[in-house]
Amino acid sequence: MPHEEPQLFFFCELSGTALLSLLDRLDVLNLLAMRSCGVALALPVFDDAYAAATRVLNAHNIPVVAWLTLPADEGLAFNLQNYPRAAACYQTFHAWAQTHGLRFAAVGFDMEPPLSDALFVGWGGVREIVRRIWLARDNALFPAARMAYLELMAIARRDGYEVHAYQIPLIADDRRVGTTLLQRALDIVDLPADIEVLMCLSETAPEWFGSALIAVYGPSADALAVGRSSSSDTALRWDDMQRDLLLAAAYTDTIYVATLEQCVVSGYLERIAALDWGTPVRIAVLPYAVLWSMRLLMLIGLVIARYGKTALAWLGWLIALILWLRGRYATAQPAPGNRQGADEDRNQPKRQQR
């Protein structure tokens, strides 16, 4: 029995004019339409070229996700520091879509740490991350930003859009323990999306990195993103892309693929369409074990951070109780000298009787 094919969405980071050139290829449009694949359009601006490209996709009944992004000089993704821009960006998008009569199946919000915080390297980076985690509870932006994003998600749903959120995998650990420590430390928010996509991409890391992320975080995911963004020099090799797609399909029925333009240029689109989704796949044991161990340590650290003070408080009460009981027991027992005197007193009548 063939394995059920997952719903695929292809990220697309092309400019409006370049996207129109790509969509001039009927083989691409027909293949996407035949497989009911969606396209997540990165929309840093809202112009006529993007509107025309969306109309082409709408005409072929290809599901379109409005992947809302900021201009490159503003950091592209959303976070705690630019949350007012997220609301403004959405309102501009919604007005643009209505003006041009465009249909979007969903709105996608990319939530990432600020670039300056995401590029830590070396021991200096480790120290900075530890410092930010230590100061995370004092992040004054978090409450206001979280409420703003919650309200924005509600507005998008009220306008008739499904909400997709593109999150770093660590968000699953923060949610699992019931904390907001990592969110506050990394300046991100756990968005209440209809579909949450954990970004398990292999960017500049070794090719096995994405597969290990998929295997470790797949059981916690609504949806997964695989592949490599267009900002990377080269696309993933086909063997690595195929492995990641099949592995992701074992955990979820919704997969995002990065990116459409790379898949078209590399000839992967036809290969993906011909995949047997029931094909078993294996990953290297060592990378999986390393990432799994790192996640376990992260979870332990989050549990300690959440329950540490409470555990110490109860431990203090327990120690106090033990000391009190020990004192009561010592008071109830006669001293060694008193015990000897008591024994002599008990034996005294017997001596007198003799």
Side-chain angles (χ1 to χ4, degrees), residues 24 26 42 57 90 151 167 213 219 224 237 265 268 296 331 349:
D24 280 339
L26 287 179
L57 294 170
Y90 172 76
E151 182 178 354
Q167 297 275 22
L213 277 176
L224 293 163
R237 297 177 304 172
V265 170
Y268 292 172
L296 179 61
T331 303

Side-chain angles (χ1 to χ4, degrees), residues 107-134:
V107 178
F109 294 89
D110 192 1
M111 182 63 58
E112 296 181 15
L115 289 178
S116 59
D117 295 337
L119 298 178
F120 294 134
V121 293
W123 285 109
V126 173
R127 287 195 299 269
E128 177 64 14
I129 292 173
V130 171
R131 185 188 71 83
R132 291 185 64 85
I133 291 177
W134 180 261

Side-chain angles (χ1 to χ4, degrees), residues 60-342:
H60 287 79
N61 294 318
I62 297 171
V64 185
V65 177
W67 175 15
L68 302 185
T69 65
L70 297 174
D73 58 352
E74 295 185 41
L76 296 177
F78 299 113
N79 49 64
L80 295 188
Q81 298 179 13
N82 60 21
Y83 73 90
R85 290 286 288 118
C89 182
Y90 172 76
Q91 294 296 342
T92 304
F93 153 75
H94 183 53
W96 170 77
Q98 287 189 316
T99 299
H100 291 83
L102 307 175
R103 299 196 314 271
F104 290 92
V107 178
F109 294 89
D110 192 1
M111 182 63 58
E112 296 181 15
L115 289 178
S116 59
D117 295 337
L119 298 178
F120 294 134
V121 293
W123 285 109
V126 173
R127 287 195 299 269
E128 177 64 14
I129 292 173
V130 171
R131 185 188 71 83
R132 291 185 64 85
I133 291 177
W134 180 261
L135 299 175
R137 297 186 186 278
D138 299 325
N139 192 330
L141 284 175
F142 183 78
R146 182 175 182 274
M147 290 303 300
Y149 279 114
L150 288 174
E151 182 178 354
L152 180 56
M153 302 299 103
I155 292 173
R157 290 191 185 92
R158 190 164 62 244
D159 290 338
Y161 302 111
E162 188 175 72
V163 176
H164 294 191
Y166 312 128
Q167 297 275 22
I168 62 174
L170 290 177
I171 202 75
D173 298 324
D174 219 22
R175 186 188 309 119
R176 184 176 182 180
V177 181
T179 72
T180 58
L181 183 64
L182 291 179
Q183 298 172 58
R184 293 170 185 266
L186 298 175
D187 281 341
I188 58 176
V189 178
D190 184 5
L191 299 177
D194 298 301
I195 295 180
E196 179 182 73
V197 184
L198 296 187
M199 305 295 285
C200 297
L201 304 180
S202 295
E203 294 290 1
T204 56
E207 285 74 12
W208 50 258
F209 186 74
S211 300
L213 277 176
I214 294 168
V216 171
Y217 284 96
S220 307
D222 292 335
L224 293 163
V226 305
R228 182 174 286 172
S229 69
S230 295
S231 59
S232 302
D233 294 334
T234 58
L236 280 180
R237 297 177 304 172
W238 168 246
D239 289 344
D240 299 316
M241 175 70 83
Q242 178 181 234
R243 179 195 60 217
D244 290 357
L245 284 167
L246 294 174
L247 187 60
Y251 296 107
T252 179
D253 56 4
T254 303
I255 301 174
Y256 271 78
V257 184
T259 61
L260 176 62
E261 52 269 29
Q262 287 182 340
C263 287
V264 171
V265 170
S266 303
Y268 292 172
L269 207 56
E270 295 81 2
R271 292 184 175 188
I272 292 174
L275 272 179
D276 177 4
W277 293 97
T279 304
V281 62
R282 298 179 62 183
I283 65 168
V285 175
L286 182 58
Y288 170 79
V290 170
L291 279 184
W292 186 89
S293 300
M294 292 174 63
R295 187 184 186 192
L296 179 61
L297 290 175
M298 177 68 71
L299 288 171
I300 292 173
L302 290 173
V303 170
I304 293 173
R306 179 178 182 183
Y307 298 106
K309 291 183 179 179
T310 303
L312 287 175
W314 281 106
L315 181 60
W317 282 108
L318 180 60
I319 293 173
L321 177 62
I322 292 173
L323 292 175
W324 180 77
L325 291 174
R326 183 177 178 183
R328 289 292 301 270
Y329 177 78
T331 303
Q333 297 296 320
N338 294 337
R339 185 181 298 112
Q340 182 178 0

